[in-house]
Amino acid sequence: MPYPYQITTPGAYQDAYQKSIDTPEKFWGEIAENFRWQKKWNEVLQWNFKEPRIEWFRGAKLNITENCLDRWVEKQPDTPAIIWEPNDPAEASRTLTYIELYEKVCQFAQVLRDNGAKRGDRICIYMPMVPELAIAILACARIGAIHSVVFGGFSSQSIADRIKDAQCNIVVTADGGFRGNKTIPLKEIVDDALATCPSVKKVIVLTRTGIPVSMMKDRDIWWEDEIEKIEKKGINEFEPEIMDAEDMLFILYTSGSTGKPKGVVHTCAGYMVWTHYTFVNVFQYQPGDIHFCTADIGWITGHSYIVYGPLSAGATSLMFEGVPTWPDAGRFWDIVNKHKVNILYTAPTAIRSLMGFGTKPIEGKNLQSIKVLGTVGEPINEEAWHWYDEYIGKKKCPIVDTWWQTETGGILISNLAGVTKSKPTYATLPLPGVQPVLVDEKGNIIEGNGVSGNLCIRFPWPGMLRTTYGDHERCRTTYFSTYENLYFTGDGCLRDEEGKYRITGRVDDVLNVSGHRIGTAELENAINMHTGVVESAIVGYPHDIKGQGIYAFVIFNAIHTDENHTRQDINQTVTKIIGAIAKPDKIQFVSGLPKTRSGKIMRRILRKIAEGELQNLGDTTTLLDPLVVDEIISNRL
Ligand code: WTA
């Protein structure tokens, strides 16, 4: 068996789970034996959730890229590591075998080194979904630099905030990127960001679109020119930097309930073991399978299940540059057919959006190769689950509903494809090592089945976050202080009579729009930057395709000649400050917001109004101005 720790029967799952609870150190120590280490650990686990301090495989030394590349180069150099499908189906796809990927990573590692990058430096990556993005990530890991990938849909302001927070000294980007019928001027966006980021000394620019860009002398260099220099020297190897188990591997920014996104930090060894173990078990990967995760590498799903999980398993990972609906809504199915995809991992939003096109785009497409389907990022509704099962899986493929977060590094709750049972809309069971608990408002643990509460985890797992970059206290208060000695996920959850888990959505001020996390405070801050806006309040409401839509209540003090024009202006502000993904779906102008006497906005009431639940608004008598509620209701959009 290629992966000796692969769980293949329900009984083996029970055994593994039990062992992971009874003797966690022994359990993870044995699994970790299957990786390549420069030096083994002295201790498997040290932890307390108070500070918090979490250390896995303490004292061990490794480089994650030796596990993702070198060991597979020795075993299967010609196995495809990355298959890349471009945005435009008329352009040729590319395949990089393990040896080819290895050489490219080593060469780019040399480029980084030659341009001043050192172990521990932070490097910002803002790129389209091309193989060079994975190459840049792995090259950072090779030299021991910490990558901070920023999703290509974020604005220059967002990039600048992230660069400053991490004090990055290098940016890797491209001239532009293709997404559907759009061309995104990535370099230009980076240039705007860098006007306020003196820490950045070098910008390495890949050619992707050929659009004109401005190159600043001594700072900006072309990827291709640098590689040419390396090739002339005949370099195609690079000695991996030997890292400590708990050295930082990467930072990934994510939105929370406070204004500023936080840099979630993952470290080398624990993250590697976790993404690998969950990849192999949840998807039941078999050598030769083609794994297609449709996420963007700018999000955690792409980090863990396009790059590190699959490559650490010697798998073939398919990377897609485009969008599901361009040139038409059959794009995913053409890709499945063309590359004979075996595992398809996507978001409920994509499924719901494709459902909207009916079954026509699927007709005549050969989906026979698919063995396993997966979903991630948000709760999946029954209808979408059954559509996925019937039309894509043809009722013969298990669907894994995988619940996890940027902070958890990899999947925590999910059925194992074809091994443990699925249940529509349920993530079902915790993976070995994961100890979920439900707590009530007061933090009391709710025992038994058929109950619901706030989802917490009471024991560390190797892939969990270690800190938030530059602000450990923020990590403690956000995740470890709400309930004593528990990691708080921010999600509400139900445990059914059989002990299976169903995630019901965020219970904090974070929205999940098309599977993207948007902090309401962050969005309100952005809207309030508009000169005419006095105050705003954001809530979510159910949206057929996006899962949640964004409803903005805005107090506007300037006279608007045309309300729709003002709405566009506000959207423009949001696009500039955060990015287009955070644009509100509805903007209602109000003269006041429902506030308590102490000045706190009663979001509960706004949420009900946005959801259209006008009958049962609850107690409004404590409001400063109860009449404002009537006004808001009568002008509801
Ligand atoms: C939500 C994405 C229901 C949840 C990997 C979580 C889900 C947030 C599921 C994390 C699922 C993710 N069912 N809800 N299978 N997967 N979520 O950090 O609210 O982008 O807290 O990580 O997405 O989003 P993030």
Side-chain angles (χ1 to χ4, degrees):
M1 191 152 75
Y3 312 108
Y5 36 82
Q6 195 170 44
I7 295 165
T8 53
T9 63
Y13 163 74
Q14 287 302 340
D15 291 348
Y17 189 77
Q18 201 54 47
K19 194 171 164 197
S20 78
I21 305 302
D22 296 342
T23 52
E25 301 194 24
K26 184 163 183 291
F27 181 80
W28 290 111
E30 282 170 16
I31 287 167
E33 290 291 342
N34 297 281
F35 293 79
R36 181 167 293 188
W37 303 91
Q38 292 284 342
K39 176 181 170 290
K40 295 259 174 81
W41 48 95
N42 307 322
E43 216 176 344
V44 174
L45 174 65
Q46 266 279 337
W47 72 287
N48 75 68
F49 277 176
K50 222 169 203 65
E51 297 175 56
R53 184 164 64 90
I54 294 115
E55 292 176 285
W56 282 93
F57 311 109
R58 207 168 127 114
K61 297 207 182 285
L62 77 158
N63 186 294
I64 194 168
T65 67
E66 284 199 281
N67 288 278
C68 292
L69 298 171
D70 305 53
R71 62 173 174 159
W72 303 111
V73 168
E74 290 159 23
K75 222 175 135 209
Q76 48 175 57
D78 301 323
T79 298
I82 293 178
I83 298 176
W84 175 74
E85 176 64 25
N87 178 59
D88 185 343
E91 191 181 338
S93 51
R94 286 167 66 188
T95 297
L96 295 176
T97 62
Y98 271 89
I99 180 72
E100 287 165 341
L101 181 62
Y102 167 85
E103 291 185 357
K104 287 188 187 299
V105 168
C106 288
Q107 290 179 333
F108 196 65
Q110 188 67 49
V111 169
L112 290 174
R113 174 63 45 84
D114 290 350
N115 282 286
K118 302 178 307 297
R119 175 189 185 125
D121 284 355
R122 277 79 55 215
I123 296 182
C124 174
I125 303 179
Y126 184 69
M127 289 180 83
M129 280 286 285
V130 291
E132 285 74 13
L133 166 53
I135 291 167
I137 286 175
L138 293 164
C140 286
R142 190 80 174 175
I143 69 168
I146 299 159
H147 55 80
S148 168
V149 182
V150 178
F151 170 61
F154 279 118
S155 67
S156 51
Q157 175 84 45
S158 294
I159 301 169
D161 290 346
R162 286 158 173 76
I163 289 177
K164 280 183 228 169
D165 188 73
Q167 285 294 296
C168 297
N169 57 351
I170 296 181
V171 177
V172 185
T173 187
D175 51 357
F178 297 121
R179 264 181 84 77
N181 56 10
K182 294 200 199 93
T183 303
I184 298 139
L186 299 173
K187 173 63 164 62
E188 193 183 313
I189 297 170
V190 166
D191 285 340
D192 286 346
L194 294 190
T196 61
C197 298
S199 63
V200 174
K201 304 293 180 227
K202 286 280 174 211
V203 180
I204 305 175
V205 188
L206 176 83
T207 306
R208 172 63 188 126
T209 58
I211 55 173
V213 296
S214 103
M215 296 291 279
M216 196 196 273
K217 203 175 194 160
D218 298 330
R219 189 195 71 181
D220 300 353
I221 50 180
W222 290 104
W223 175 298
E224 295 80 8
D225 292 349
E226 295 301 299
I227 292 293
E228 199 184 309
K229 285 190 222 161
I230 304 298
E231 276 182 344
K232 278 205 181 119
K233 291 187 200 152
I235 296 172
N236 54 13
E237 288 191 356
F238 190 95
E239 200 54 38
E241 185 77 19
I242 303 309
M243 309 300 287
D244 288 330
E246 284 296 339
D247 277 337
M248 287 186 201
L249 175 63
F250 67 86
I251 306 170
L252 187 58
Y253 286 84
T254 189
S255 293
S257 41
T258 50
K260 213 174 104 205
K262 41 189 182 279
V264 169
V265 170
H266 286 288
T267 56
C268 296
Y271 176 81
M272 170 182 78
V273 171
W274 190 250
T275 52
H276 176 99
Y277 182 78
T278 53
F279 173 72
V280 163
N281 280 301
V282 171
F283 302 105
Q284 290 291 304
Y285 187 84
Q286 301 301 321
D289 283 351
I290 312 287
H291 174 80
F292 177 20
C293 167
T294 70
D296 192 289
I297 291 179
W299 308 110
I300 192 69
T301 305
H303 279 61
S304 300
Y305 298 108
I306 296 178
V307 183
Y308 288 113
L311 297 180
S312 70
T316 300
S317 182
L318 195 150
M319 186 175 169
F320 172 44
E321 185 185 34
V323 296
T325 49
W326 189 84
D328 59 55
R331 189 71 174 108
F332 275 1
W333 322 129
D334 288 332
I335 296 173
V336 166
N337 191 4
K338 175 172 171 189
H339 297 288
K340 301 284 168 276
V341 167
N342 304 109
I343 303 168
L344 176 68
Y345 190 33
T346 195
T349 287
I351 299 169
R352 286 191 298 262
S353 130
L354 293 173
M355 257 170 82
F357 291 87
T359 51
K360 262 242 141 25
I362 310 168
E363 280 166 24
K365 308 283 161 77
N366 184 353
L367 307 181
Q368 286 292 325
S369 56
I370 299 180
K371 297 195 291 191
V372 172
L373 295 172
T375 72
V376 57
E378 47 178 325
I380 183 164
N381 48 310
E382 290 264 342
E383 205 192 343
W385 196 97
H386 287 294
W387 189 87
Y388 202 32
D389 183 38
E390 186 168 343
Y391 295 104
I392 309 307
K394 318 288 182 197
K395 296 206 160 181
K396 63 175 180 54
C397 303
I399 298 177
V400 289
D401 177 350
T402 66
W403 172 81
W404 58 296
Q405 311 177 295
T406 304
E407 294 85 345
T408 70
I411 299 163
L412 292 202
I413 304 183
S414 174
N415 47 317
L416 310 181
V419 175
T420 58
K421 277 209 196 103
S422 64
K423 175 171 177 178
T425 77
Y426 279 71
T428 74
L429 298 172
L431 264 73
V434 177
Q435 303 189 30
V437 292
L438 301 184
V439 299
D440 65 18
E441 303 283 86
K442 293 196 193 90
N444 300 314
I445 292 182
I446 309 167
E447 306 283 354
N449 289 339
V451 294
S452 54
N454 289 348
L455 178 62
C456 293
I457 316 286
R458 72 167 144 209
F459 195 85
W461 63 100
M464 76 185 297
L465 88 163
R466 302 300 196 261
T467 188
T468 46
Y469 191 81
D471 193 351
H472 193 61
E473 177 58 12
R474 189 161 177 212
C475 173
R476 190 188 69 78
T477 52
T478 312
Y479 306 105
F480 299 93
S481 72
T482 317
Y483 306 112
E484 208 179 328
N485 288 322
L486 298 176
Y487 165 81
F488 176 43
T489 64
D491 279 318
C493 182
L494 182 150
R495 185 166 53 221
D496 75 1
E497 296 299 341
E498 296 174 289
K500 291 184 173 151
Y501 292 86
R502 176 189 189 183
I503 315 302
T504 48
R506 303 287 303 194
V507 294
D508 54 6
D509 291 324
V510 174
L511 306 185
N512 192 327
V513 180
S514 301
H516 301 149
R517 274 164 72 166
I518 302 198
T520 53
E522 187 188 350
L523 181 48
E524 287 162 8
N525 288 346
I527 291 179
N528 298 349
M529 297 291 276
H530 187 288
T531 48
V533 172
V534 180
E535 198 179 1
S536 61
I538 299 292
V539 295
Y541 68 96
H543 187 288
D544 284 348
I545 291 175
K546 299 178 174 185
Q548 264 188 316
I550 303 175
Y551 199 123
F553 297 91
V554 173
I555 307 177
F556 195 75
N557 79 349
I559 313 232
H560 21 215
T561 37
D562 173 356
E563 283 202 353
N564 277 333
H565 192 262
T566 308
R567 287 192 179 98
Q568 282 169 15
D569 278 355
I570 291 175
N571 278 335
Q572 203 55 43
T573 307
V574 170
T575 304
K576 187 152 182 292
I577 294 183
I578 303 178
I581 54 169
K583 277 195 299 199
D585 298 276
K586 294 182 180 179
I587 299 176
Q588 179 179 346
F589 296 107
V590 298
S591 67
L593 291 166
K595 288 190 178 172
T596 61
R597 290 199 173 82
S598 60
K600 209 170 153 326
I601 297 174
M602 300 256 308
R603 282 166 201 285
R604 177 177 53 79
I605 292 174
L606 293 176
R607 223 173 278 133
K608 289 240 156 113
I609 296 175
E611 286 167 5
E613 272 196 50
L614 307 176
Q615 315 313 327
N616 193 6
L617 289 183
D619 184 14
T620 56
T621 55
T622 56
L623 290 179
L624 197 58
D625 176 12
L627 288 182
V628 80
V629 175
D630 298 333
E631 177 215 291
I632 296 177
I633 290 177
S634 63
N635 296 328
R636 196 179 152 256
L637 299 175

